[in-house]
Amino acid sequence: MESDSRQNLAATIGGWSVRHRVIAVVGWVVFVAVAMMVGSWAGQVEMTEDEYAAGDSARFEQILGETDLRTPASEMFLVTTDAPVTSPESRDVVSDLVRRLHATASVTEVVNPYVAGLVSEDGKSVLVRVSMSGDPMTAGDRAQPLLDAAAATRSAYPEARIDEFGDGSANAWFDDTILKDFRRAEWTAVPLAIGILVVAFGALLAALLPVGLALTSFLAANGILALVSHRMHLDSSASSVMLLVGLAVGVDYSLFYLRREREERVRGRDPATALRIAGATSGRSVLVSGMTVVAAMSGMFLSQMLIFEGFATATILVVLVAVAGSVTVLPAMLSLLGDRVDLGRIPGLARMRRPGTENRFWHGVLARVLKRPAVSVVAATGFLLVLAIPAVGMHTERLGLDKLLPADTSIMQSYHHITAAFPGGPTPARVLVTAPDVRSSEMNSAVEDFQARAIATGLVQEPLLVSTHPDVGVVEVEVPLAGDGTDATSVRALDALRDDVVPATFGKVPGAEAYVGGNLAFSQDFNAQLQHAMVPVVLFVLVLAFLLMLVAFRSVTIAAVSVVLNVLSMAAAFGVMVAVFQHGWGASLVGGRGVGAIESWIPLFTFVILFGLSMDYHVFVVSRIREAHDRGLPTRDAVAHGVATSAGVVTSAAAIMVAVFAVFATLSMTTFKQLGVGLAVAILLDATVVRAVLLPSVLTFLGDRTWWLPRWLSFLPDRAYHPPPEDRQDSVKGAATPAGTGG
């Protein structure tokens, strides 16, 4: 046994931790505490507005920053009255609102709607536009005085309707509703995980240990992330993504390790031997799985988008810390606790979940699957392909607020009232022109020509507001787009500006450079960069995952099957996501609705996350199959034994992930719902159809070809766990049927 334990890194590390268990445990506590203190001292630095941009929008934002012309946060107030807005009664309402807004410290400018021509076509509404002080990214912190001013005017003039929408009110609403909702969901996942683990182990202490390790891994990684953020700025949700991934992988890794140690103890091993075997087997699976997850996450660096690079850094950090904890402090803790890890046993449940007992359900499933493996392959593949069909017509876009938020919320009702009265008003395009002399006759003519040509397209709304800044050599034109600012009509208007109007006007001014920005332009450029990044990211992840699986299992067949099955399960998950949220089939079950598109960043992000997480189960199951085959079992029996012995732990791990991700399907924003449904469905399919039906049937159908390795690859090192001869004989006798020892 000693020789076998020494041949892989996980066993070596675990052996050291057991021999120095106090140092390992204390060292982990100190590491977590120091990382948290460093993170608290450093603080997390978030991305600036220009760091989110891509393409022309990125250059647009850079110019604004260089010239100190960054647009302040804005707020809009739509005043609607029964009388014409030009009447004295209506003017009194507007004057009162303007006066109150001017009196707040949050305002730098209030645009008089009568002077600026911001009167609706029906003559019943005017739009009061406000520029806010301070950083636009924190406008929500200063929005309340403006909302209070509008509320005071409503009280003074109850016959008037006042709707507000803008950077301040929207951010404040998000902070009060969405972020609180998000954080509550994150921590709902913790008791859910504990509850599932209690059922899995039948003992409270055994259930708390994986969650404790996962949470401490997150706290340590989050502290390190704060330090990293001073060199690589992060999106505000990076820590939330880290918590989700950290909880998922941290619990899984601990679950695999702890379950194997308990299984060996039930078989009669002494505590030291049980820990050595757990380190050599499950510990190695944790290392392989962790490296595969890291490889998948690193694909996001190829996107060349800072937001995804931040997500990649966050997830890689928490996975590495979770792997380190699983192979060091976990065996040390198990050595210290011994069989006391089963403290807090639940009567009846503990016996039902005793490792090594037969699982009748999985025995029945495997018996049917392996009886006709070819039929099982066709049936399971056909089922997944049917689910994947809607994904062929997937349409992605940067969802606008009308699709992101429930239509019955007050902020969305105000948004719709404003866009109906002033189409394109809330989200105008902005044209930024730099030139050596912005007051030249050529520039003046170009501006006039631009306004005329833009209006002639029939795709923009008046008025077009022009601002000249000669001190920094910039001319800015604000162009309200037709449509609602995000729909197909607005996209056509933006394309017309970029492709035709801007080149035909400002393109003729010597030395001038023009860029079109704004919310829609930002969204379109962001989507274009995502589409450009998708192919290299996917290819990188698939190729690297294939190579890692090849090295880990020394089988070309295993590596190829691993990649193909993962792609198949993800395609099915994407199909379900499209069916629910693009077509609206069953969307009401999660409180959603069909919005005609999938949020643009979700496919890439989901692909990378799912590819990494689903490898957890795959590596664990295939490791048990390989171990059984190395003991002398034929491939068919090795597959049955490996799947049966891993079924319980895979089911428990998958249940935790599905529960965690399903919580996010209940949140308010459509993007969270899409992400939650996509991840939950993918993990559910992966742990049931793929791991319990498709994987065993494919490997059984392939037979000994499962272990094919070309002679020219024979140099690959073999670091798998190989039991001694007497253990092989015992295992062969006890695992000759599909029942195995089901977990």
Side-chain angles (χ1 to χ4, degrees):
M1 179 68 65
E2 286 295 330
S3 61
D4 292 313
S5 295
R6 290 196 189 100
Q7 68 179 344
N8 74 61
L9 181 61
T12 302
I13 297 174
W16 182 92
S17 296
V18 169
R19 293 191 301 272
H20 306 85
R21 54 194 185 184
V22 175
I23 295 176
V25 173
V26 173
W28 179 259
V29 172
V30 171
F31 165 66
V32 173
V34 170
M36 291 175 62
M37 287 189 293
V38 169
S40 177
W41 167 77
Q44 185 166 302
V45 181
E46 296 184 0
M47 293 172 61
T48 57
E49 190 172 358
D50 61 297
E51 290 176 324
Y52 285 95
D56 275 1
S57 294
R59 181 58 185 148
F60 177 91
E61 294 292 341
Q62 288 170 5
I63 293 174
L64 288 180
E66 292 168 358
T67 57
D68 198 26
L69 292 177
R70 192 172 302 283
T71 304
S74 64
E75 197 71 21
M76 290 169 287
F77 296 85
L78 182 72
V79 180
T80 306
T81 58
D82 292 331
V85 291
T86 54
S87 65
E89 297 84 359
S90 296
R91 286 181 178 272
D92 288 343
V93 177
V94 174
S95 297
D96 183 79
L97 175 61
V98 169
R99 178 181 59 79
R100 294 180 188 273
L101 291 172
H102 265 301
T104 67
S106 302
V107 168
T108 59
E109 180 185 10
V110 180
V111 177
N112 188 313
Y114 299 109
V115 175
L118 295 175
V119 179
S120 64
E121 290 186 4
D122 62 7
K124 294 184 177 180
S125 302
V126 296
L127 190 66
V128 179
R129 302 180 61 172
V130 172
S131 296
M132 297 182 63
S133 60
D135 185 355
M137 300 291 282
T138 60
D141 299 337
R142 300 178 301 280
Q144 194 57 48
L146 303 184
L147 303 181
D148 292 341
T153 300
R154 285 193 199 96
S155 298
Y157 299 91
E159 71 279 5
R161 177 189 177 104
I162 302 177
D163 293 285
E164 64 263 7
F165 180 85
D167 299 318
S169 57
N171 289 348
W173 189 88
F174 272 84
D175 291 341
D176 291 340
T177 307
I178 299 298
L179 293 183
K180 289 180 181 178
D181 201 15
F182 198 14
R183 294 190 179 107
R184 185 170 59 251
E186 291 170 356
W187 292 105
T188 301
V190 175
L192 274 175
I194 293 174
I196 294 170
L197 287 171
V198 167
V199 175
F201 287 112
L204 185 59
L205 183 56
L208 291 174
L209 198 58
V211 175
L213 184 59
L215 289 179
T216 53
S217 297
F218 161 71
L219 293 173
N222 199 44
I224 299 172
L225 185 67
L227 197 60
V228 172
S229 72
H230 287 261
R231 294 299 300 271
M232 175 189 289
H233 298 171
L234 302 169
D235 180 76
S236 59
S237 61
S239 291
S240 299
V241 172
M242 174 184 274
L243 176 60
L244 286 179
V245 175
L247 187 61
V249 300
V251 169
D252 279 3
Y253 296 160
S254 302
L255 185 59
F256 296 160
Y257 208 112
L258 180 55
R259 189 73 173 184
R260 185 58 184 262
E261 188 272 343
R262 291 288 83 196
E263 182 181 322
E264 296 301 328
R265 289 291 290 136
V266 168
R267 288 176 175 171
R269 312 283 191 187
D270 61 84
T273 301
L275 277 174
R276 283 200 299 269
I277 295 176
T281 56
S282 292
R284 181 175 183 272
S285 296
V286 166
L287 287 180
V288 174
S289 175
M291 292 307 101
T292 307
V293 175
V294 168
M297 301 304 177
S298 62
M300 284 193 278
F301 287 111
L302 297 180
S303 68
Q304 298 182 344
M305 301 178 74
L306 186 60
I307 182 173
F308 288 108
E309 293 175 1
F311 287 153
T313 301
T315 51
I316 288 172
L317 274 176
V318 77
V319 169
L320 290 177
V321 174
V323 168
S326 299
V327 298
T328 56
V329 71
L330 183 60
M333 287 293 297
L334 293 177
S335 177
L336 284 170
L337 292 171
D339 291 336
R340 292 189 298 274
V341 74
D342 285 331
L343 285 176
R345 292 184 181 180
I346 311 298
L349 189 60
R351 183 176 182 180
M352 180 181 73
R353 291 302 179 189
R354 185 176 176 84
T357 58
E358 182 176 328
N359 187 305
R360 294 182 179 180
F361 173 78
W362 289 112
H363 167 65
V365 170
L366 282 173
R368 289 172 173 78
V369 167
L370 300 185
K371 186 176 181 180
R372 295 184 177 86
V375 174
S376 299
V377 170
V378 173
T381 303
F383 174 70
L384 293 176
L385 288 176
V386 168
L387 291 180
I389 288 174
V392 176
M394 179 185 291
H395 169 65
T396 62
E397 66 179 48
R398 187 88 168 179
L399 298 181
L401 283 176
D402 58 324
K403 297 179 180 179
L404 281 176
L405 303 179
D408 57 353
T409 58
S410 60
I411 192 169
M412 287 311 304
Q413 291 176 357
S414 293
Y415 175 85
H416 287 306
H417 284 135
I418 293 175
T419 55
F422 294 89
T427 53
R430 298 173 61 200
V431 179
L432 202 66
V433 186
T434 62
D437 183 4
V438 294
R439 287 181 170 175
S440 66
S441 58
E442 293 92 340
M443 180 60 72
N444 291 334
S445 298
V447 170
E448 294 176 0
D449 192 20
F450 172 84
Q451 291 176 299
R453 287 176 180 265
I455 294 172
T457 64
L459 294 172
V460 303
Q461 306 287 334
E462 295 188 75
L464 279 65
L465 304 180
V466 179
S467 302
T468 302
H469 307 278
D471 52 331
V472 292
V474 171
V475 172
E476 183 181 356
V477 186
E478 194 169 286
V479 186
L481 302 176
D484 63 7
T486 60
D487 61 9
T489 301
S490 297
V491 171
R492 288 198 303 273
L494 178 68
D495 291 341
L497 290 179
R498 283 182 160 177
D499 299 338
D500 300 323
V501 180
V502 169
T505 55
F506 298 118
K508 297 179 179 180
V509 179
E513 294 182 359
Y515 301 92
V516 181
N519 290 348
L520 181 59
F522 177 97
S523 174
Q524 292 295 101
D525 292 339
F526 188 90
N527 290 348
Q529 179 64 30
L530 273 178
Q531 293 172 3
H532 177 73
M534 194 71 180
V535 172
V537 170
V538 170
L539 289 178
F540 174 84
V541 172
L542 294 181
V543 171
L544 197 53
F546 175 87
L547 294 176
L548 285 172
M549 297 299 288
L550 175 62
V551 172
F553 295 104
R554 301 185 81 246
S555 167
V556 172
T557 306
I558 289 291
V561 168
S562 302
V563 171
V564 171
L565 294 189
N566 259 19
V567 170
L568 192 57
S569 65
M570 280 187 286
F574 283 150
V576 172
M577 196 190 309
V578 170
V580 172
F581 294 103
Q582 189 168 313
H583 302 301
W585 303 340
S588 59
L589 296 177
V590 292
R593 56 196 171 97
V595 294
I598 302 299
E599 175 66 37
S600 57
W601 58 267
I602 283 183
L604 177 63
F605 181 77
T606 304
F607 171 82
V608 173
I609 292 289
L610 284 178
F611 205 94
L613 295 183
S614 61
M615 277 298 183
D616 279 353
Y617 314 127
H618 189 79
V619 168
F620 186 72
V621 174
V622 174
S623 295
R624 296 305 295 260
I625 295 173
R626 171 69 185 270
E627 184 183 335
H629 183 265
D630 288 346
R631 285 170 172 161
L633 288 177
T635 299
R636 178 189 178 92
D637 292 339
V639 170
H641 177 71
V643 174
T645 53
S646 60
V649 67
V650 167
T651 301
S652 301
I656 291 171
M657 281 199 190
V658 171
V660 169
F661 295 139
V663 169
F664 283 79
T666 66
L667 302 187
S668 302
M669 283 186 66
T670 301
T671 47
F672 293 156
K673 291 182 182 294
Q674 291 181 351
L675 191 62
V677 168
L679 293 174
V681 168
I683 296 299
L684 181 63
L685 292 174
D686 193 76
T688 54
V689 178
V690 174
R691 304 303 163 210
V693 179
L694 197 50
L695 176 65
S697 59
V698 167
L699 298 186
T700 300
F701 178 77
L702 291 172
D704 289 340
R705 288 169 293 183
T706 296
W707 315 108
W708 177 65
L709 182 73
R711 185 173 299 177
W712 59 274
L713 287 175
S714 58
F715 68 89
L716 292 176
D718 184 2
R719 292 292 183 263
Y721 169 70
H722 299 289
E726 64 273 14
D727 192 31
R728 298 180 191 181
Q729 294 171 3
D730 292 341
S731 297
V732 171
K733 291 177 183 177
T737 69
T741 59

